[in-house]
Coordinates of all heavy atoms in Angstrom, one line a residue:
T1 N -57.1 -27.2 -59.3 CA -55.8 -26.6 -59.4 C -56.1 -25.1 -59.7 O -57.2 -24.7 -59.9 CB -55.0 -27.2 -60.6 OG1 -55.7 -27.0 -61.7 CG2 -54.7 -28.6 -60.3
L2 N -55.1 -24.2 -59.6 CA -55.2 -22.8 -59.9 C -55.4 -22.6 -61.4 O -54.7 -23.1 -62.2 CB -54.0 -22.1 -59.3 CG -53.8 -22.1 -57.9 CD1 -52.5 -21.4 -57.5 CD2 -55.0 -21.4 -57.2
P3 N -56.3 -21.8 -61.8 CA -57.4 -21.1 -61.0 C -58.3 -22.1 -60.4 O -58.4 -23.2 -60.9 CB -58.1 -20.1 -61.8 CG -57.9 -20.7 -63.3 CD -56.5 -21.4 -63.2
L4 N -59.0 -21.8 -59.3 CA -59.8 -22.8 -58.5 C -61.1 -23.2 -59.2 O -62.1 -23.6 -58.5 CB -60.1 -22.2 -57.2 CG -58.8 -22.1 -56.3 CD1 -59.3 -21.6 -54.9 CD2 -58.1 -23.5 -56.1
A5 N -61.1 -23.1 -60.5 CA -62.3 -23.8 -61.2 C -63.6 -23.2 -60.7 O -63.7 -22.3 -60.0 CB -62.2 -25.3 -61.2
A6 N -64.7 -23.9 -61.2 CA -66.0 -23.4 -60.9 C -66.4 -23.5 -59.4 O -67.3 -22.9 -58.9 CB -67.0 -24.2 -61.8
A7 N -65.7 -24.4 -58.7 CA -66.0 -24.6 -57.3 C -66.0 -23.3 -56.5 O -66.7 -23.2 -55.5 CB -65.1 -25.6 -56.7
L8 N -65.1 -22.4 -56.8 CA -65.0 -21.2 -56.1 C -66.1 -20.2 -56.5 O -66.1 -19.0 -55.9 CB -63.6 -20.5 -56.3 CG -62.4 -21.4 -55.8 CD1 -61.2 -20.6 -55.9 CD2 -62.7 -21.8 -54.4
A9 N -67.0 -20.5 -57.3 CA -68.0 -19.5 -57.7 C -69.4 -20.0 -57.4 O -70.4 -19.4 -57.7 CB -67.9 -19.2 -59.3
V10 N -69.5 -21.1 -56.7 CA -70.8 -21.7 -56.3 C -71.4 -20.8 -55.2 O -70.8 -20.6 -54.2 CB -70.7 -23.1 -55.8 CG1 -72.1 -23.6 -55.5 CG2 -70.2 -23.9 -57.0
P11 N -72.6 -20.2 -55.4 CA -73.2 -19.3 -54.4 C -73.5 -20.1 -53.1 O -73.9 -21.2 -53.1 CB -74.4 -18.7 -55.1 CG -74.8 -19.7 -56.0 CD -73.5 -20.4 -56.6
A12 N -73.5 -19.3 -52.0 CA -73.9 -19.8 -50.7 C -74.7 -18.7 -50.1 O -74.5 -17.5 -50.3 CB -72.7 -20.2 -49.8
P13 N -75.7 -19.0 -49.2 CA -76.4 -18.0 -48.5 C -75.6 -17.1 -47.6 O -74.7 -17.6 -47.0 CB -77.5 -18.7 -47.7 CG -76.9 -20.1 -47.5 CD -76.0 -20.4 -48.7
A14 N -76.0 -15.8 -47.6 CA -75.2 -14.9 -46.7 C -75.6 -15.3 -45.2 O -76.7 -15.9 -44.9 CB -75.7 -13.5 -46.9
Q15 N -74.7 -15.1 -44.3 CA -74.9 -15.4 -42.9 C -75.4 -14.3 -42.1 O -75.0 -13.2 -42.3 CB -73.6 -15.9 -42.3 CG -73.0 -17.2 -42.9 CD -71.7 -17.5 -42.4 OE1 -70.7 -17.1 -42.9 NE2 -71.7 -18.3 -41.2
G16 N -76.2 -14.6 -41.1 CA -76.7 -13.6 -40.1 C -75.8 -13.5 -39.0 O -74.7 -14.1 -38.9
P17 N -76.1 -12.7 -38.0 CA -75.2 -12.5 -36.8 C -75.0 -13.8 -36.0 O -75.8 -14.7 -36.0 CB -76.0 -11.5 -36.0 CG -76.9 -10.9 -36.9 CD -77.3 -11.9 -37.9
S18 N -73.8 -13.9 -35.5 CA -73.4 -15.0 -34.6 C -73.0 -14.5 -33.2 O -72.6 -13.3 -33.1 CB -72.3 -15.9 -35.2 OG -71.1 -15.2 -35.3
S19 N -73.1 -15.3 -32.3 CA -72.7 -14.8 -30.9 C -71.3 -15.2 -30.6 O -71.0 -16.1 -29.9 CB -73.6 -15.5 -29.9 OG -73.6 -16.9 -30.0
G20 N -70.3 -14.4 -31.3 CA -69.0 -14.6 -30.9 C -68.5 -13.9 -29.7 O -69.4 -13.2 -29.0
P21 N -67.3 -14.0 -29.2 CA -66.8 -13.5 -28.1 C -66.8 -11.9 -28.1 O -66.6 -11.4 -29.2 CB -65.4 -14.0 -27.9 CG -65.0 -14.4 -29.3 CD -66.2 -14.8 -29.9
T22 N -67.1 -11.2 -27.1 CA -67.1 -9.8 -27.0 C -65.8 -9.3 -26.6 O -65.2 -9.7 -25.6 CB -68.2 -9.2 -26.1 OG1 -69.4 -9.7 -26.5 CG2 -68.2 -7.7 -26.0
V23 N -65.2 -8.3 -27.3 CA -63.9 -7.7 -27.0 C -64.1 -6.3 -26.6 O -64.8 -5.6 -27.3 CB -63.0 -7.8 -28.2 CG1 -61.6 -7.2 -27.9 CG2 -62.8 -9.3 -28.6
K24 N -63.6 -5.9 -25.4 CA -63.8 -4.5 -25.0 C -63.0 -3.6 -25.9 O -61.8 -3.8 -26.2 CB -63.2 -4.3 -23.6 CG -63.4 -3.0 -23.0 CD -62.9 -2.9 -21.6 CE -63.0 -1.5 -21.1 NZ -62.4 -1.4 -19.7
R25 N -63.6 -2.5 -26.4 CA -63.0 -1.6 -27.2 C -62.3 -0.5 -26.4 O -62.9 0.1 -25.5 CB -64.0 -0.9 -28.1 CG -63.4 0.1 -29.2 CD -64.4 0.7 -30.0 NE -65.1 -0.2 -30.8 CZ -64.6 -0.7 -32.0 NH1 -63.5 -0.3 -32.4 NH2 -65.3 -1.6 -32.7
L26 N -61.0 -0.4 -26.6 CA -60.2 0.6 -25.8 C -59.9 1.8 -26.6 O -60.0 1.9 -27.9 CB -58.8 0.0 -25.4 CG -58.9 -1.3 -24.6 CD1 -57.6 -1.9 -24.4 CD2 -59.6 -1.1 -23.3
A27 N -59.7 2.9 -25.9 CA -59.4 4.2 -26.7 C -58.1 4.0 -27.5 O -57.1 3.5 -27.0 CB -59.2 5.3 -25.6

């Protein structure tokens, strides 16, 4: 319940790059 208790503070490893879709950048 709120606040979300200790479960929201458990560390997880940072993520590296993933190959998501490429979006063309417009002016």
Side-chain angles (χ1 to χ4, degrees):
T1 59
L2 293 175
L4 288 182
L8 294 187
V10 178
Q15 294 176 269
S18 65
S19 55
T22 301
V23 180
K24 180 180 179 182
R25 184 179 298 278
L26 301 177

